[in-house]
Structure formats: C-alpha cells, structure tokens
C-alpha cells in the first residue's frame, strides 16, 4: 500500500457551535458542539485513519497547548512528526446557523521564525521521501511567505513525492507553480485564482482546464452541495452526492473529500469509484460536528446515491 503523510503548517483547535441566527453586535448564546484538535491536514489524517490507511502527520504545533493533539495522535495511532514551536496553536471558531452556511472565524496563530522554518524544511524533506503521497493542506502561518512555501514544495516534488495540495489565496497560487500532482480548490478558491466569478458549470470547467494546463495531473473542484468535478488526462467527470438534509457542520467536508480521494488512490480504485467514494465520505462529514468515519457502513447508503456523470472523455 502507498505510504501517506499529511502536513498542516497552520494547525488549529476548532471550537464548533450552533445557533439559530448570529445577531451581529449582540450577545449570542451558542450551543457548544465541541473543541477539536484540527487543521486541514490533521482532519485528512483522521479520516484516512478511520478508513484503515496508515498516516503520518507533520507541520507545526504551538508547545503551550499541545496536549489534545498528542492525545489524538496516540489514540488514533498517527505517526507524530510535528515540530513544536513557541506559543499556542490558534483556536478557530466555527458557527453553524440553522438556515445558513458555517461562519468561520480563523485566527492567525503562531509565528514561525527563520530558524523554525530551516529546521522544518530540512527534517520534512528527509522524512517525506519515505512517503509516496504527501498531502499539504491549509493556510500558511505567520513567518512563512508564499515564496518560501513554493520553494519547499518544489523540493518535495524534486524528491519524487506526489504532492496533494489543498490551500487557498497566495499559498494556492504559489503552490500551483511547484508541480503538485493533485489539487482540490473549492469553487470560491478557483474563482479567486482565475480572478472572476464562475456562475455556470461550464465556467467552472473552463477555469479548471486553465488550472490543469499549468501541468497538474489531477484537478478536483469541490462545489459544496453541488458536488465535485475531476479533470485529468482521461477527461472530466462530475459527482453529485445526495443532498444532506440535516447539515450539522460543513467544516472539514473538503478535508474528508481529500481523504476519500487518497483512499481511492492507495486502494487502486478506478477514477469513478474514487470520486464516488470521496463524495460519500464528504457528504457524510456534513452530518456531524467533527470529521471522521466512526463506522464504514454508514457510508453505504450515501455511496449508493452518488451520481457520477462523464462530461468529457
Ligand atoms: N450539503 C451537502 N450535502 C452533501 N454533500 C456535501 C454538502 N456540502 C458539501 N458536500 C460534499 O463535500 C465536498 C466538499 O465540500 P466543499 O466544496 O464545501 O469543500 P470545502 O469548501 O473545501 O470545505 P471546507 O474548507 O469547509 O473543508 C463537496 O464536493 C460534496 O461532495
Ligand atoms: O486557515 P486554514 O488552514 O485555511 O483553515 C483552517 C481550518 O478552517 O480548516 C479546517 C477545515 O477545513 C479546520 O479544521 C480549520 O480550522
């Protein structure tokens, strides 16, 4: 089986809650759903681990509040390659309103010094060579510029690692220049990259083709409840999951999708099977407050209702 690692440069605790409607400027009472050690790469690893794929996790963690992360890694048997840095890992606040999407309050988090970065690049380039697929997920912490990120990703690529990139804004733009093997922007991130609104499926496919033309083998665009697209040398396929009627939190839906895609690759599933499986895992994610697949059987009824359409190819 291919060996997998995930990297989270800007980890976070997620404080997840729910209320009817946020009243700006007022006192809001929020139903607490949990405080979870998270961050995009860690979420991907949690889901993969639930699906019986062995994973190592790396990146940065603030040494002052590292406890729940270490507990999670121990509990799940995740190989801990995280570098501890001075200060605290940030706490991000995620509020689901009854009739609206999630509001994310993402904070900046720890500051990475030049010395931290030097150590991280040397260590990670050494250990990443042991892995076939390295998923690099999430935003950049303070102190790490888009150029520094791009140069590190290029070195990973040169070392023969298949890089899965799930980031946004300047990190996504810079990362795309470093030959990732797979990228998974969402609809909004694709709009930001292309620089204009994408209002039809055709618009999205055209922009995704532009992205693929940068030399990226696999471009997956996630479109929330509308599903996802996968562009590769084999053409374009569309996946439409059954609509989740009882959305608890969409936080981590994209991470669950990335985990499902990696699961398909390491288990040699076909492209159609892989996208269908990733869609089921991500659709399942929105029905719960935290990411993870507690019981594989829960995916079956969702998977049976994912619709896969070949658009081109
Ligand atoms: N309401 C929903 N019902 C069913 N499936 C959903 C729903 N919302 C999301 N999904 C599934 O999750 C996938 C990823 O969602 P989305 O495009 O919102 O990712 P994202 O913006 O990267 O997520 P995040 O950054 O919050 O983790 C979608 O392609 C779809 O398969
Ligand atoms: O600031 P980033 O790294 O872009 O996003 C961080 C984050 O929103 O991503 C995950 C959901 O995808 C959460 O666990 C976490 O809080």
């Amino acid at each position: 089986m291919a060996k997998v690692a995930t990297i989270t440069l800007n980890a976070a605790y997620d404080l997840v809650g729910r209320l009817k409607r946020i009243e700006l400027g007022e006192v809001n009472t929020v139903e607490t759903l949990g405080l979870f050690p998270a961050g995009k790469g860690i979420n991907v690893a949690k889901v993969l681990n639930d699906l019986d794929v062995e994973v190592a996790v790396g990146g940065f963690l603030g040494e002052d509040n590292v406890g729940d992360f270490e507990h999670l890694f121990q509990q799940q048997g995740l190989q801990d390659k995280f570098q501890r840095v001075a200060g605290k890992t940030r706490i991000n606040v995620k509020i689901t309103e009854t009739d609206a999407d999630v509001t994310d309050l993402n904070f900046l988090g720890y500051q990475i010094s030049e010395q931290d970065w030097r150590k991280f690049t040397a260590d990670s380039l050494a250990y990443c060579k042991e892995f076939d697929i390295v998923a690099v997920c999430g935003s950049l912490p303070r102190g790490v510029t888009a150029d520094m990120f791009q140069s590190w990703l290029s070195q990973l690529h040169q070392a023969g690692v298949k890089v899965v990139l799930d980031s946004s804004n300047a990190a996504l733009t810079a990362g795309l220049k470093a030959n990732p093997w797979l990228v998974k922007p969402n609809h909004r991130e694709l709009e930001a990259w292309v620089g204009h609104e994408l209002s039809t499926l055709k618009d999205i496919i055209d922009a995704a083709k532009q992205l693929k033309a940068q030399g990226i083998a696999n471009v997956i665009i996630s479109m929330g409840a509308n599903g996802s697209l996968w562009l590769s040398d084999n053409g374009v396929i569309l996946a439409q999951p059954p609509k989740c009627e009882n959305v608890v939190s969409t936080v981590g839906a994209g991470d669950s999708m990335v985990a499902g895609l990696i699961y398909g690759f390491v288990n040699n599933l076909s492209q159609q099977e892989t996208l269908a499986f990733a869609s089921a895992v991500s659709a399942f994610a929105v029905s719960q407050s935290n990411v993870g697949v507690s019981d594989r059987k829960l995916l079956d009824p969702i998977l049976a209702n994912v619709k896969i359409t070949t658009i081109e190819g």
Side-chain angles (χ1 to χ4, degrees), residues 84-106:
R84 276 56 169 173
V85 294
K88 285 191 173 66
T89 295
R90 63 191 169 146
I91 299 176
N92 289 340
V93 179
K94 318 280 175 178
I95 307 284
T96 304
E97 290 171 89
T98 307
D99 295 316
D101 283 341
V102 173
T103 297
D104 287 69
L105 302 173
N106 285 1

Side-chain angles (χ1 to χ4, degrees), residues 10-305:
N10 206 3
Y13 280 96
D14 283 353
L15 178 57
V16 185
R18 170 162 69 176
L19 85 173
K20 196 163 184 332
R21 210 175 63 208
I22 299 176
E23 303 287 354
L24 292 177
E26 299 296 332
V27 174
N28 293 266
T29 302
V30 181
E31 177 196 347
T32 309
L33 295 173
L35 176 66
F36 307 107
K40 287 192 162 45
I42 291 170
N43 293 342
V44 172
K46 277 164 75 176
V47 176
L48 280 171
N49 185 66
D50 285 351
L51 298 170
D52 296 324
V53 177
E54 222 176 278
V55 201
V57 287
F60 297 108
L61 287 176
E63 60 193 1
D64 293 353
N65 58 351
V66 78
D68 286 3
F69 284 95
E70 290 179 345
H71 182 68
L72 172 79
F73 301 157
Q74 250 175 18
Q75 198 188 29
Q76 298 224 342
L78 299 173
Q79 204 186 331
D80 177 8
K81 303 229 175 239
F82 270 96
Q83 182 175 328
R84 276 56 169 173
V85 294
K88 285 191 173 66
T89 295
R90 63 191 169 146
I91 299 176
N92 289 340
V93 179
K94 318 280 175 178
I95 307 284
T96 304
E97 290 171 89
T98 307
D99 295 316
D101 283 341
V102 173
T103 297
D104 287 69
L105 302 173
N106 285 1
F107 291 75
L108 285 180
Y110 36 59
Q111 172 84 37
I112 301 305
S113 67
E114 274 177 39
Q115 227 178 338
D116 291 331
W117 184 248
R118 230 177 291 125
K119 176 168 168 41
F120 170 76
T121 50
D123 290 353
S124 61
L125 286 169
Y127 68 69
C128 282
K129 286 184 190 147
E130 297 164 24
F131 297 92
D132 304 292
I133 298 177
V134 174
V136 178
C137 306
S139 60
L140 302 182
R142 289 181 297 156
V144 179
T145 64
D147 283 349
M148 288 155 78
F149 182 59
Q150 184 184 329
S151 146
W152 169 70
L153 281 180
S154 297
Q155 291 176 70
L156 274 187
H157 170 72
Q158 279 154 21
V161 170
K162 284 187 164 120
V163 173
V164 170
L165 175 67
D166 183 13
S167 196
S168 48
N169 306 320
L172 173 63
T173 307
L176 290 170
K177 296 180 194 145
N179 303 96
W181 168 70
L182 183 150
V183 293
K184 192 222 69 66
N186 65 25
H187 176 184
R188 298 285 163 234
E189 288 157 354
L190 183 65
E191 285 183 336
W193 178 77
V194 81
H196 56 83
E197 214 176 284
L198 304 167
S199 40
T200 65
L201 190 63
K202 185 182 177 308
D203 291 346
I204 298 174
I205 293 174
D206 288 346
K209 281 184 177 168
Q210 257 176 270
L211 191 50
K212 179 151 187 342
Q214 311 274 302
I216 299 162
N218 299 288
V219 172
I220 287 96
I221 310 296
S222 65
M223 305 177 294
N226 294 324
S228 55
L229 285 162
W230 184 348
L231 283 81
S232 70
D233 290 343
N234 301 328
V236 182
I237 54 178
L238 168 72
Q240 290 160 296
K243 198 166 186 286
C244 175
E245 296 302 341
N246 180 27
V247 175
V248 175
S249 167
T250 56
V251 176
D255 308 332
S256 300
M257 165 151 269
V258 170
L261 292 168
I262 294 175
Y263 175 90
F265 285 112
V266 301
N267 286 287
N268 298 314
L269 302 188
S270 71
Q271 247 182 309
Q272 277 76 5
E273 286 169 333
T274 299
L275 192 60
F277 184 77
S279 302
V281 178
S282 56
F284 177 67
V286 305
S287 67
Q288 50 185 8
S289 56
N290 191 9
V291 295
V293 181
S294 53
D295 180 354
R296 284 276 283 273
K297 288 198 198 78
L298 298 171
L299 297 177
D300 293 344
I302 310 176
L303 186 56
N305 286 296

